[in-house]
Amino acid sequence: MNTIQYLEDQAARAERLAKRITDTLTIEKLLTFAGERRREIEVIAGKHRRA
């Protein structure tokens, strides 16, 4: 599994978990985490496109 796949998996897991719970603070933290992973993917993917 490469870095992008790993980050995508982590983001997807966090998003799935956020849909299944009711604690607002935890949902916000999970979605923030997922967003951060997706931004990391964009940065890594951008570096690969320029190379």
Side-chain angles (χ1 to χ4, degrees):
M1 178 180 291
N2 68 34
T3 303
I4 291 176
Q5 289 170 327
Y6 175 76
L7 294 171
E8 179 64 40
D9 182 60
Q10 293 297 301
R13 286 177 187 219
E15 291 163 346
R16 283 193 306 270
L17 182 56
K19 290 179 183 178
R20 294 183 176 163
I21 60 175
T22 58
D23 178 59
T24 305
L25 181 59
T26 304
I27 292 169
E28 289 175 9
K29 288 184 178 195
L30 285 166
L31 294 177
T32 297
F33 174 83
E36 291 168 355
R37 300 299 75 81
R38 296 203 182 278
R39 282 187 288 284
E40 285 183 63
I41 292 167
E42 289 176 10
V43 168
I44 292 168
K47 287 180 182 175
H48 287 285
R49 276 186 243 134
R50 283 180 256 169

